[in-house]
Each structure stands twice: as structure tokens, then as C-alpha cells.
Amino acid sequence: MTDKQLQDLVSYLIKNKYRVHSHKEIDGEILIDEIYEGKNFELCPQRPLYSFKKFLLPPCQTMMKFKNNKTIGVKNPDTKTILLGIHFYDLKALTLLSQVFEKDPYFQKKLRNMMLIGQSPIPAKDEDYQKFEEDILEHLKFDIFLETKSNNNQKSFRIFTGSEDGQRLLDNFGYKDYEHIEYAGPVPEEGLNITQKSLIEKIFKSKGSKIWKELNKKCIDCGKCSIVCPTCFCFKISDEIKKDKIVRKREWDSCFYEEFSEVSGEHKFLDSTEDRIYNWYDHKFVRIPKEYSMPGCVNCGRCTEVCPAGIDIRKNIKRIIEEN
Amino acid sequence: MKNPYNPIGAKIVKIEKISSINKLFTIKIKDEKTRNAFKFRHGQFFILSVPGFGEAPFGFCSSPAIKETFQVSVDKRGSLTSKLFELKVGTDVGIRGPYGNGFNRKKIKSRDLVLVAGGCGLSPLRTIIQDANLNPKNFQNIQVFYGCRNSKLLAFKSDYKKWSKNIEMNLTVDTPDKAWKNSVGVVTNLLTSETIKSDSVAILVGPPVMYKFVIQKLVELGLSNEDIYISLERRMHCGIGVCQHCALVGGKYICTDGPLFSYAEIKDTPEGI
Ligand SMILES: Cc1cc2nc3c(=O)[nH]c(=O)nc-3n(C[C@H](O)[C@H](O)[C@H](O)COP(=O)(O)OP(=O)(O)OC[C@H]3O[C@@H](n4cnc5c(N)ncnc54)[C@H](O)[C@@H]3O)c2cc1C
Ligand code: SF4
Ligand code: SF4
Ligand code: FES
């Protein structure tokens, strides 16, 4: 598929009442925005600062409404949405979320109305590419995937489909040159790799060690890392009293906030920064791998990018592996 | 797709004021079919919803053998519980659940039980005590050790006489008044090699400060780590193992794996207790 054909595809989608979201540079930051025309569309190879998770798990979402103590229905309009240009590690994150929220009607309804179009931003070498196709794509949830190819400075895309919806969409658009990849479930047959498995033990062993004391001093509990992280999904549920009704809503929460573990009487179970940041790593590298056989960190680097204290998750993990 | 967050419609059918900070609510699920299908086990809990005041987890405190209604003993603490205290008989509330990993059924019926409670911790144990009173044949020997700061705070006082027919009740308070005829001091003092058989199963429900000392004592008395159960409390939002509020580092959730854990299960969990 050429650049021009991709633009035509975007125009086609918009014409067919899809709301298309993709990322681009806005005031020096890479952010996701709605695309209103295909004409000059260009796929941005960098990843957006905020991930695509908000489309499936909104920062604040109405769960139900009550009026005179009776539940009244919530209308969630079915907007057909396209998320365009999701990097493969963000697709990994969405695949994980779709497991965590497998039985969540709010999440699943949004997912049903959504088409995920992924991209591999870096032109892959042939051998890498083989691996990529077999090992990664078949375990990712996506509808269409754009594999960037570069020939004599001429950019083009190799197209994969990952669902029937994706195939149908391309067929209707009139593009036939795609390969279909059968979704083989989120977890490869062999499950976690050796590093991921040993990390479960190593994190546990590291509890109380020097690295956590250092992080205790460094981290300021701002929670920015958990907001940008594509796999962070903690939430809280609360009621809001409006003029004539009550709204029960679900909002993003962060385990870095002190109230996260507070029970009445002001007792907090995660009562130091050390406890909280350890709990964050425990969730990513222990709890999620144990529960879903998938790593809880997709290595996108966002948390490191936003951390005001200069905390680098890759360095920390490397250190935990070396020291334990 | 079924929405696990939708509360089931229920009604408060009876309210008993137990103390200035505790009330006993009897709750009935409105729809008959739902009511008949609603079954809970010892050690499970549910989430109560009062629109406008949110949701909070509470342990069942009546016997699962009582089918029409169930009871919950509520301590007045914050916004939701204060609202509950204002509600009148007949008010609608919502419930969801039952949640949690109930207590091992076989163990509970085949072994001698030592129930150790502190403060408001007696209420979730009442499911077992009531059950044992209704069907004594289903249970072995049951001993209750219950401690409170003073006798005013003892829960379910009017039941003790009835319970004593089938169950050994041991009470203690920190500061006795003139009329007090039972033990004085912490509950740990009552646990000795004369009172406790080492092959019993113990269930502890109370403030976390109590656990450390009681566990130590029971281990000294020869109970195995697998036979000492502790009820853990954490903040909860979802009740179904997703929101992470009740997670224990290492991989356990109070809402789905608990709230009762054997000491063997959580001994090595940092900050578990
Ligand atoms: C498994 C379990 C069983 C429980 N059983 C009982 C019982 O039988 N009787 C009883 O009186 N209390 C019980 N509690 C404690 C009860 O849930 C809290 O007292 C209640 O949540 C306080 O709510 P509030 O709105 O009045 O307090 P607030 O302090 O105003 O609460 C604010 C927020 O914190 C949450 N929260 C506060 N304390 C707790 C807590 N301890 N556990 C979970 N969430 C909390 C509330 O849900 C709410 O979202 C139990 C708790 C758990 C976890
Ligand atoms: S690198 Fe950081 S932001 Fe990205 S997935 Fe891992 S923990 Fe989340
Ligand atoms: S962004 Fe950095 S300082 Fe802020 S909570 Fe995360 S690790 Fe701590
Ligand atoms: S209450 Fe949400 S995970 Fe336990």
C-alpha cells in the first residue's frame, strides 16, 4: 500500500462515518487527535506521549445512573472508532487490557465498536521481519497492521489483517493485497520467557533492598508514570450527586496516591513511597505475569520520559536482575 | 454481557441498634428468583450500594442456612456507613456479590474450631456460630475467644446465652466495669495449652494489631500454619480482582482469594498482616 492509498483509505473511513484517531506532532509533543480528512494524512512514526488506552478505558466513565433510588439506563452511543497507527507495543498493551477487562461490559462494548490499526514504524530487516510476523503479530489483537517498508526512499506498507472485520473493511475499500494472520490468543505457547519468569522471583527477592530505599528518596509520588503507562489500569468507583440524578462513575486511579490503600480510620496499607513504588513494579513484573502469563510492561519508555525525578524503569529492572 | 457492577435490588427489613456505633441490618433481596439463587458461604462478603454514597464491602453475619434474608453488622465509620445509620426499615439498597473465597467447607465441619475475635471482628464469625446453633450435628467442638476494650462494645450480647448451649464462649475486656464477671486483659491471655487443643483450626478476625500476638501464641501452642486463618481488610472498589486496591504484593487479592487466608499462605507476603 502506498502513502497515497493510505490517505485514500483514511478518506474512505471518514466518509463511512468512522471517527479516526491518530497521532501527530502538536506544539512539540506527539499527541493523539481526531483526523478529519485523509488528503494530507501522514502516519507518524513516533509513539504518542499518551497511549491509546483512554479510548477503551476512559479517564472517567459513567457506569450507571440512579434516579429516585432506581437505576436508569445509560446511553453509550455506538460510535465506530478507528485507532490508526498503534505501535506494536501499544497493541501489546491493549491486548493485555482486553484480557484484564475480558468480562467488563464497558470495555468490551467499546472494543466491539473499534478498529485497531497497528504499525511497525521501523522498516524491518528480512530476518527480523520473519520473527516479527510469526512471534508477535499472531498474539496481538488488531484488525489491520501496517508494516512500514522503505525502498529507495519510497515509503510503502505491507498489509496484514488480524480479524474478519479488518478483512471486510479492506475488501470493501477495494484493497486486496493483504496477508491474514490468525489470532492465536494473547499468550505464546511457551508462556513467559525465561527473563520474565526469573524477574518474578527477583523482584520478590529485592524487597527491602537498597534500590527501593533509593527510590523511596527519589520518587515524589506524582503518579505521572501511571497515567502515561499504556498498561496501568487501576480504577476507583464513586458516586456523584447531580441536580436530578446520581451518577456512579469509574475513574483512573494511581497506586502512587496515598488514598489508594486508605481505609476508614486513615490507615494506609501502602504507607510509604517505598511500599508504593514496589507495589507498582510488583503489579507490572509479578502480579500481571502470574495472572495473565504476559509481561505487565511493554517497554514503551513513557514512564521514564515523564518522570520528574529521573527514574528510569529499564535501568532499575536491569539492576534488579543483576543484584538479585 | 452481564454487568458485574449492577447492584441487585434489596430492601432493609429490620434494623437493630446494637450500640451507638453499631447497627444490625437484616436485608432481603426483592426478586424471589434472585433471592433463591443467592447463596453465600462462611467467610464471604458482599458489596453494599447506597446511590449517592457509593459502595463498601461488608461481611455476612448470619447463617447461610437462613435463606429468606441475611444480616450485616455495620460500624459507623465514614460517609456510606453514616448514611446507612440514617436509613429506615423499608429502604431500598443495592448489593452485589457474594464475593471472596469462602472458608474451606470440609475443614470447618470436620475439625474443632477456635474462633478468635477482637472488637467488631465477631460479626463475620457469627455466620459459623449461628450455623452451629441451628445444626450442631454438622460441627465439631467450637470455642469462641472474644475481646473488646470494654463491655459496652461487645457485639451480639443478647445472643451469648443461646450460643452457650452449643459453643464455649470466652469473653474478655481491657477495662472492666463493676458488673463484669469474665476475664480481664487481652484475648491472647485466654489462649493456653489447657484451653486450646493443638489440632484445632483457628480463625482470627479483628484489628491487625491483634493478629501478630495471637498467631505467635497459636503457633507456640502447636497449631500448624495451615490451620491458622486470618481475615484481612483492605480498601476495595471492584470486588472482582481488577481495580488493584486490595492487592497484596506477590499476587493475592483480598477480594477474590480472601478475605480469609491461612497463615501459611501469607506468612511470606510483605505487609500481608
Ligand atoms: C472484606 C471486608 C469485610 C468487611 N466487613 C465489615 C462488616 O461486616 N462490618 C463493618 O462495619 N465493616 C466491614 N468492613 C469495613 C467497611 O467496608 C468499611 O467500614 C467501609 O468501607 C467504610 O465506608 P465509609 O464510606 O463509611 O467510610 P469512608 O472512610 O468515608 O470511606 C471512604 C472510602 O473508603 C473505602 N473504605 C474505607 N474503609 C474501608 C475498608 N475498611 N474496607 C474497604 N473499603 C474501605 C470506602 O469504600 C469508600 O470508598 C469490611 C471490609 C472488608 C474489606
Ligand atoms: S515502560 Fe513504563 S510506561 Fe511503558 S509499559 Fe513499561 S511501565 Fe508502562
Ligand atoms: S513519575 Fe516518577 S516521581 Fe512520579 S510517581 Fe512515577 S516514579 Fe514517582
Ligand atoms: S477490590 Fe478491586 S481488586 Fe480487590
Side-chain angles (χ1 to χ4, degrees):
Chain A
M1 186 180 275
T2 62
D3 262 351
K4 173 75 178 60
Q5 281 172 312
L6 179 61
Q7 291 176 347
D8 291 345
L9 175 63
V10 174
S11 302
Y12 169 83
L13 295 170
I14 293 168
K15 211 178 95 207
N16 282 283
K17 301 273 181 299
Y18 281 99
R19 306 205 41 186
V20 181
H21 296 266
S22 192
H23 51 287
K24 59 180 178 210
E25 199 179 313
I26 302 172
D27 299 333
E29 279 188 307
I30 311 287
L31 300 170
I32 301 168
D33 202 2
E34 184 158 358
I35 309 289
Y36 296 102
E37 57 170 27
K39 208 165 62 191
N40 294 316
F41 177 77
E42 237 183 283
L43 198 60
C44 174
Q46 286 119 299
R47 61 143 168 73
L49 178 59
Y50 299 96
S51 77
F52 286 91
K53 75 174 171 187
K54 66 174 181 203
F55 289 94
L56 288 153
L57 200 64
C60 181
Q61 148 180 62
T62 297
M63 303 179 82
M64 55 195 79
K65 292 179 184 167
F66 304 95
K67 200 168 183 172
N68 305 325
N69 222 343
K70 295 234 153 35
T71 318
I72 52 173
V74 182
K75 283 187 215 82
N76 283 321
D78 294 349
T79 27
K80 295 189 293 178
T81 304
I82 302 263
L83 305 183
L84 176 56
I86 312 170
H87 284 206
F88 79 88
Y89 44 72
D90 277 355
L91 279 179
K92 250 192 195 168
L94 291 180
T95 307
L96 171 65
L97 291 183
S98 72
Q99 289 302 107
V100 175
F101 291 89
E102 194 181 6
K103 296 189 178 123
D104 189 89
Y106 307 100
F107 184 99
Q108 292 301 333
K109 185 172 180 202
K110 287 199 180 293
L111 188 59
R112 271 199 305 279
N113 286 308
M114 203 159 288
M115 290 278 230
L116 308 177
I117 305 186
Q119 68 159 323
S120 80
I122 321 134
K125 278 194 252 108
D126 263 0
E127 67 260 44
D128 282 357
Y129 165 70
Q130 265 298 331
K131 201 165 172 285
F132 191 66
E133 181 183 358
E134 284 164 21
D135 296 357
I136 299 182
L137 285 187
E138 66 171 1
H139 300 296
L140 291 182
K141 240 188 158 57
F142 66 91
D143 297 288
I144 296 170
F145 193 88
L146 314 172
E147 158 86 22
T148 309
K149 305 233 117 195
S150 189
N151 276 330
N152 310 325
N153 286 335
Q154 191 64 30
K155 214 162 107 191
S156 68
F157 304 99
R158 184 168 175 184
I159 308 294
F160 298 95
T161 53
S163 73
E164 279 179 30
D165 286 350
Q167 286 177 306
R168 204 170 307 126
L169 192 142
L170 288 180
D171 289 346
N172 292 343
F173 166 62
Y175 189 86
K176 298 260 183 293
D177 187 15
Y178 58 77
E179 284 165 56
H180 187 67
I181 304 244
E182 204 62 50
Y183 181 52
V187 185
E189 214 173 303
E190 66 278 12
L192 296 171
N193 67 34
I194 296 171
T195 321
Q196 291 157 351
K197 271 187 202 146
S198 75
L199 202 50
I200 295 180
E201 300 303 319
K202 292 192 171 191
I203 295 273
F204 185 72
K205 262 211 215 138
S206 76
K207 174 91 191 162
S209 71
K210 212 164 122 225
I211 186 168
W212 303 110
K213 307 274 177 250
E214 287 169 23
L215 291 172
N216 183 47
K217 285 207 200 108
K218 251 178 144 179
C219 169
I220 55 165
D221 286 313
C222 67
K224 278 189 175 165
C225 48
S226 61
I227 290 169
V228 293
C229 176
T231 66
C232 270
F233 57 78
C234 297
F235 60 80
K236 59 182 173 190
I237 299 172
S238 63
D239 287 5
E240 190 182 335
I241 304 180
K242 300 230 165 137
K243 242 185 277 143
D244 59 337
K245 58 180 174 290
I246 288 153
V247 175
R248 181 157 296 162
K249 57 188 182 175
R250 171 159 84 182
E251 284 169 282
W252 289 359
D253 205 348
S254 168
C255 57
F256 282 97
Y257 301 155
E258 287 199 14
E259 325 73 270
F260 189 81
S261 67
E262 183 175 330
V263 294
S264 46
E266 281 166 33
H267 182 74
K268 299 173 189 78
F269 286 92
L270 301 171
D271 68 351
S272 66
T273 303
E274 181 178 344
D275 283 351
R276 289 188 283 270
I277 195 161
Y278 180 87
N279 173 65
W280 197 63
Y281 280 62
D282 184 80
H283 190 209
K284 303 246 171 279
F285 302 103
V286 180
R287 299 207 291 274
I288 290 176
K290 275 189 177 176
E291 275 175 79
Y292 302 99
S293 302
M294 294 161 88
C297 165
V298 296
N299 209 359
C300 71
R302 288 184 176 94
C303 54
T304 306
E305 187 181 330
V306 299
C307 178
I311 293 170
D312 183 330
I313 196 163
R314 286 179 201 154
K315 279 196 193 143
N316 289 336
I317 290 302
K318 203 161 155 252
R319 200 173 141 194
I320 289 167
I321 291 174
E322 281 164 9
E323 289 177 2
N324 291 279
Chain B
M1 187 178 266
K2 206 173 145 254
N3 188 340
Y5 298 101
N6 273 352
I8 304 170
K11 211 180 231 349
I12 301 176
V13 292
K14 196 173 167 191
I15 302 173
E16 292 157 77
K17 187 172 169 180
I18 305 293
S19 72
S20 59
I21 57 147
N22 181 276
K23 277 186 181 178
L24 182 64
F25 294 85
T26 305
I27 292 173
K28 183 171 183 170
I29 292 171
K30 292 206 278 189
D31 176 59
E32 193 184 333
K33 234 171 109 189
T34 316
R35 184 163 66 234
N36 293 337
F38 189 85
K39 292 193 173 78
F40 65 90
R41 289 179 282 140
H42 297 296
Q44 286 191 301
F45 67 97
F46 67 102
I47 288 182
L48 185 87
S49 144
V50 179
F53 298 85
E55 298 184 306
F58 296 97
F60 295 99
C61 87
S62 53
S63 162
I66 301 168
K67 301 281 182 217
E68 276 289 287
T69 58
F70 64 84
Q71 288 182 310
V72 52
S73 155
V74 178
D75 275 356
K76 189 173 172 175
R77 294 207 201 160
S79 63
L80 177 99
T81 48
S82 301
K83 179 65 192 175
L84 271 177
F85 268 57
E86 290 169 16
L87 299 184
K88 301 259 174 336
V89 169
T91 313
D92 284 350
V93 291
I95 59 164
R96 49 189 186 93
Y99 291 135
N101 183 11
F103 197 83
N104 184 319
R105 258 183 256 227
K106 233 163 107 194
K107 234 176 188 177
I108 218 166
K109 305 217 153 149
S110 62
R111 305 277 296 273
D112 289 343
L113 299 180
V114 172
L115 309 179
V116 186
C120 49
L122 187 64
S123 76
L125 293 172
R126 185 170 172 256
T127 63
I128 301 176
I129 301 172
Q130 259 195 355
D131 217 11
N133 262 281
L134 292 169
N135 304 297
K137 280 196 213 78
N138 285 347
F139 290 85
Q140 310 304 315
N141 192 33
I142 299 182
Q143 296 169 288
V144 173
F145 296 88
Y146 179 34
C148 262
R149 262 180 291 140
N150 58 58
S151 64
K152 279 200 197 72
L153 294 172
L154 290 167
F156 308 111
K157 261 181 271 190
S158 56
D159 288 338
Y160 299 164
K161 214 168 143 194
K162 190 169 65 194
W163 292 351
S164 298
K165 271 186 256 158
N166 298 302
I167 284 161
E168 178 194 315
M169 291 291 297
N170 302 282
L171 305 172
T172 182
V173 295
D174 295 344
T175 39
D177 55 21
K178 284 205 191 83
W180 186 250
K181 293 200 185 63
N182 295 291
S183 311
V184 174
V186 292
V187 78
T188 335
N189 296 346
L190 304 181
L191 310 170
T192 66
S193 54
E194 274 106 72
T195 53
I196 308 282
K197 283 200 284 178
S198 65
D199 60 353
S200 311
V201 171
I203 307 176
L204 283 49
V205 191
V209 286
M210 178 188 102
Y211 291 155
K212 220 175 111 195
F213 299 105
V214 174
I215 292 170
Q216 206 182 345
K217 192 62 171 273
L218 292 171
V219 171
E220 274 171 33
L221 292 172
L223 274 79
S224 79
N225 291 345
E226 286 77 20
D227 286 337
I228 301 173
Y229 287 83
I230 304 119
S231 175
L232 298 185
E233 191 173 318
R234 285 292 185 285
R235 185 164 182 150
M236 289 186 182
H237 281 262
C238 69
I240 50 177
V242 185
C243 76
Q244 302 300 313
H245 281 271
C246 76
L248 292 177
V249 297
K252 290 200 166 60
Y253 294 92
I254 310 279
C255 66
T256 50
D257 303 315
L260 280 172
F261 293 93
S262 76
Y263 183 49
E265 274 178 283
I266 51 158
K267 189 160 66 46
D268 298 322
T269 301
E271 281 99 41
I273 303 169

